[in-house]
Amino acid sequence: MHTDLHIIASRIQTAWEARRICSLVGRGCRARVVRLGRLASAGRIEPTLALQLAREVEALAFCFLPLPAEDQDDRG
């Protein structure tokens, strides 16, 4: 189960690095998956629930496209 969480966290990171998703949202979502892994390892959450929640947060991450870079000139 822990491997599945690692894979999900890695997919989220790869997506923001490739600018497929918003890096702001992606970083938060990845952090949530990592925390779910820690909670599951500590026995504070069932591993199956941790995996379900990680899958949900991965889906959420892919709902947000990246924002334009702040240093781009939008005046045309």
Side-chain angles (χ1 to χ4, degrees):
M1 199 70 64
H2 182 69
T3 301
D4 293 332
L5 295 176
H6 178 75
I7 290 168
I8 291 170
S10 180
R11 278 195 303 245
I12 293 170
Q13 182 171 346
T14 298
W16 95 60
E17 289 173 349
R19 297 203 35 83
R20 291 179 41 221
I21 64 172
C22 176
S23 63
L24 299 170
V25 174
R27 287 182 176 124
C29 289
R30 182 188 176 279
R32 184 176 172 96
V33 173
V34 169
R35 182 169 297 172
L36 286 165
R38 288 184 189 135
L39 291 170
S41 293
R44 299 198 52 213
I45 188 172
E46 290 293 323
T48 54
L49 178 58
L51 182 57
Q52 176 186 341
L53 294 172
R55 287 178 176 155
E56 289 175 2
V57 78
E58 181 182 24
L60 174 83
F62 281 85
C63 291
F64 292 89
L65 294 175
L67 297 172
E70 289 187 54
D71 58 350
Q72 290 182 345
D73 186 359
D74 291 340
R75 290 179 279 166

